[in-house]
């Protein structure tokens, strides 16, 4: 994978050291990944990424019939080529419920864990920024909101200093 790495490193010892370092890092990463997602197995990952690279024999026995039907469904293959994975699997929920359920569970793990980490980071920021305040719920709610504020529209709707009409002059 690193064709020009040997040109950059001064000696053969450096290359073997670098290979060992990268291999060690990747094995630690795999262990950590397994800690976070212990229920994931290789079949589920392969199914969610590309079901058309699997065979019916390589899938769970209770899903083999659905898998055979999916592999022979040219419309589903076309949808797979033209759409994003999540939309593809959502479109197959009624036709292939067991396969879709497994694939969507795998696909939903990553955005949901990202969202949790993002919210936790926002909470830590709020706790440090507003350490002296007892209640920061409103600020926290705004920081987690996906709705973008349109400040220009809000300020345009407000008049800087309302004019007073004097009646009877």
């Amino acid at each position: 994978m690193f064709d020009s790495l040997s040109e950059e490193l001064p000696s053969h010892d450096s290359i073997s050291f670098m290979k060992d370092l990268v291999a060690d890092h990747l094995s630690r990463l795999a262990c950590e990944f397994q800690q976070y997602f212990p229920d994931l197995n290789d079949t589920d990952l392969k199914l969610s990424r590309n079901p058309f690279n699997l065979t019916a024999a390589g899938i769970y026995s209770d899903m083999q019939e659905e898998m055979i039907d999916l592999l022979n469904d040219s419309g589903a293959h076309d949808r797979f080529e033209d759409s994003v994975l999540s939309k593809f699997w959502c479109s197959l929920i009624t036709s292939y419920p067991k396969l879709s359920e497994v694939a969507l569970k795998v696909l939903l793990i990553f955005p949901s864990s990202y969202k949790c980490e993002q919210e936790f980071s926002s909470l830590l920021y709020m706790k440090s920024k507003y350490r002296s305040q007892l209640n920061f719920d409103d600020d926290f709610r705004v920081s987690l909101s996906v709705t973008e504020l349109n400040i220009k529209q809000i300020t345009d709707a407000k008049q800087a200093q309302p004019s007073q009409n004097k009646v009877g002059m």
Side-chain angles (χ1 to χ4, degrees):
M1 295 305 290
F2 305 104
D3 297 332
S4 61
L5 182 63
S6 59
E7 297 167 12
E8 298 297 322
L9 295 174
S11 69
H12 184 68
D13 293 338
S14 300
I15 294 172
S16 66
F17 172 75
M18 188 61 76
K19 284 182 182 177
D20 292 342
L21 188 67
V22 169
D24 182 53
H25 176 72
L26 291 176
S27 65
R28 286 184 193 187
L29 194 61
C31 288
E32 244 183 85
F33 192 77
Q34 188 62 34
Q35 244 181 340
Y36 280 107
F37 309 108
D39 297 336
L40 276 182
N41 62 42
D42 199 38
T43 304
D44 293 352
L45 288 172
K46 287 178 181 177
L47 174 69
S48 65
R49 274 183 290 189
N50 189 349
F52 300 102
N53 284 343
L54 293 175
T55 62
I59 200 83
Y60 306 110
S61 59
D62 61 329
M63 294 186 229
Q64 286 182 346
E65 189 175 324
E66 276 188 19
M67 188 65 179
I68 291 169
D69 292 343
L70 177 63
L71 291 173
N72 293 314
D73 187 347
S74 60
H77 193 275
D78 292 341
R79 268 182 277 167
F80 177 77
E81 296 293 329
D82 296 337
S83 62
V84 199
L85 279 176
S86 54
K87 287 185 180 179
F88 167 73
W89 284 111
C90 285
S91 71
L92 297 180
I93 287 176
T94 54
S95 308
Y96 308 101
K98 292 178 184 175
L99 293 173
S100 297
E101 181 182 352
V102 169
L104 287 171
K105 279 183 182 178
V106 170
L107 293 175
L108 288 175
I109 288 173
F110 302 104
S112 60
S113 62
Y114 166 76
K115 190 69 177 160
C116 287
E117 288 182 24
Q118 183 184 28
E119 290 171 2
F120 185 69
S121 295
S122 295
L123 177 65
L124 288 177
Y125 174 74
M126 290 290 177
K127 288 292 255 186
S128 63
K129 184 177 178 186
Y130 298 110
R131 206 174 300 158
S132 62
Q133 289 186 1
L134 295 176
N135 189 358
F136 56 88
D137 293 343
D138 294 334
D139 293 335
F140 188 55
R141 191 176 306 114
V142 169
S143 74
L144 297 180
S145 174
V146 293
T147 305
E148 291 187 32
L149 296 177
N150 188 343
I151 302 296
K152 178 150 179 48
Q153 182 183 9
I154 294 170
T155 56
D156 286 349
K158 298 287 182 187
Q159 193 172 5
Q161 187 170 6
S163 61
Q164 295 178 350
N165 293 335
K166 294 187 179 181
V167 180
M169 287 190 111

